[in-house]
Amino acid sequence: MSQLDVIVIGLGGAGSSAVAHLASGGAKVLGLEQFPAGHALGSSHGKTRIYRTSYSEGPEYVPLVQRAQVLWNELQRSTSVPIIRKTGGLFLGSPASPLIAGALRSAERWSLQHERLSAADVRERYPQFRVQDQDVAVWDAEAGAVFPENCMAAYAAQATAAGAELHYGEPVVSWAASEGAVDVRTRAGEYRARSLVVTSGSWTPSLFPDLALPLRIERQLVAWFSPSDRTSVRPDRMPVFLWDLGGDREKYGLPDFGDGVKIGSWGGTVIPRPEAADRTVHDSEARTAEEFVREHFVGVDPHPRSWTSCLYTMAPDHHFLLGRHPRFDQVVLVSACSGHGYKFTSVLGEIAARLAHGEDPGFDLAPFDPMRFSKSAGKTPPN
Ligand SMILES: Cc1cc2nc3c(=O)[nH]c(=O)nc-3n(C[C@H](O)[C@H](O)[C@H](O)COP(=O)(O)OP(=O)(O)OC[C@H]3O[C@@H](n4cnc5c(N)ncnc54)[C@H](O)[C@@H]3O)c2cc1C
């Protein structure tokens, strides 16, 4: 390729969006992905992801998720495959639950359409959920599902149609920044561009060894369950949900989009590196899932019908890492991490494109500063 403007490392959720936004804006872009397109070894496979607006993780996410939703709807208009579907969202827990308090804080701060529900309200409106008398809920009218495999394929197609080159099965071995340029070495060749965007998910620590990013990789499991009553779990009847069960136990799930009711999270095992993920499901994990479904749902067969494993990349404060490299302005790091990033990847690609061009990102990124952990520990970034 002739002189490149931007190289993007990683073509998962955030990377596929970044190449689309960059190429559509006229940049000459190369995307490099270590695995084949549509692989199931990172964080963005598994058919569906929840999006929600009454964001319990913090009101600072709301403008981001609202812009993300606009971009998902735009992508939906460009293709006939499902990209986004609104179902509404139900957040369940005790009145003291951080999930409930956080959702209410965001909803009230941004005047989002929401409702507070009692256990009796939930039983009447959503009899699929077997709630306890002391449970309460928040209803998020704007929540729903996005379909990651379709989103990534649509963004990749948009990028190539706008002239981007996407190389799958080409792992990046190293990168080096110099005055006004970045050199990237892969197993197949060497490339030079003006800027670099790194959206490498669970592999991010290995691409920035000198930054000592305190990211923790977790193997997570999700399972699909057959409905015994198909009508009650249809997306027009059943909302996406998050359920705080107390004691740091939280489950989430989505209605039946054709593969059964999807419920996570199981597993949660910390692993030293992505390649160490155990992809088998153990009997004890299957039993825990069965017990949970039996106790908490009506009209769902508790025996899991299928499973997948997936990777979380956890920051210590459970927020994202998003911003410029501490020493090289032309290097942008986007880690849609901490297990809740997919819904944002449309807007993260747009932000990455602006940062790569040296523009204002359009959002306050201070809470997501990639170097916030070393700053708070009083350390200076390495030279
Ligand atoms: C089970 C599960 C359920 C989830 N549920 C939700 C949900 O409901 N809602 C939500 O919003 N979020 C959810 N998340 C989180 C969300 O899916 C992730 O935050 C998001 O997918 C991360 O996207 P990413 O682009 O950072 O990583 P990925 O999509 O994993 O992309 C990183 C890519 O970089 C590539 N790469 C890495 N290193 C190199 C290299 N050296 N050379 C070339 N390529 C490289 C990888 O192969 C990979 O394809 C869930 C995550 C999991 C695991």
Side-chain angles (χ1 to χ4, degrees), residues 196-263:
L196 175 67
V197 172
V198 184
T199 53
S200 50
S202 296
W203 288 263
T204 301
S206 60
L207 284 164
F208 296 96
D210 58 334
L211 298 187
L213 299 171
L215 295 171
R216 195 183 70 212
I217 316 301
E218 285 181 15
R219 160 219 183 241
Q220 288 280 343
L221 295 172
V222 293
W224 284 264
F225 299 84
S226 297
S228 44
D229 169 10
R230 189 167 288 278
T231 47
S232 71
V233 295
R234 284 187 337 221
D236 58 344
R237 290 281 190 86
M238 183 177 179
V240 299
F241 67 90
L242 266 65
W243 201 331
D244 181 353
L245 301 158
D248 271 347
R249 289 178 313 140
E250 189 171 295
K251 298 279 177 263
Y252 61 84
L254 298 102
D256 182 4
F257 285 101
D259 301 285
V261 174
K262 180 180 175 183
I263 303 177

Side-chain angles (χ1 to χ4, degrees), residues 264-284:
S265 60
W266 326 97
T269 326
V270 178
I271 52 174
R273 54 187 190 288
E275 292 72 20
D278 177 1
R279 302 281 173 182
T280 52
V281 179
H282 300 280
D283 288 349
S284 58

Side-chain angles (χ1 to χ4, degrees), residues 130-193:
R130 214 188 281 277
V131 291
Q132 305 294 311
D133 289 344
Q134 66 275 17
D135 287 337
V136 294
V138 177
W139 163 253
D140 176 350
E142 282 298 320
V146 284
F147 301 88
E149 283 87 350
N150 294 347
C151 297
M152 291 186 286
Y155 269 144
Q158 218 172 65
T160 45
E165 262 195 35
L166 306 184
H167 296 186
Y168 291 90
E170 186 169 342
V172 170
V173 178
S174 64
W175 62 269
S178 53
E179 192 65 33
V182 182
D183 293 291
V184 171
R185 199 159 62 80
T186 72
R187 295 244 177 94
E190 291 183 13
Y191 309 93
R192 169 168 282 214

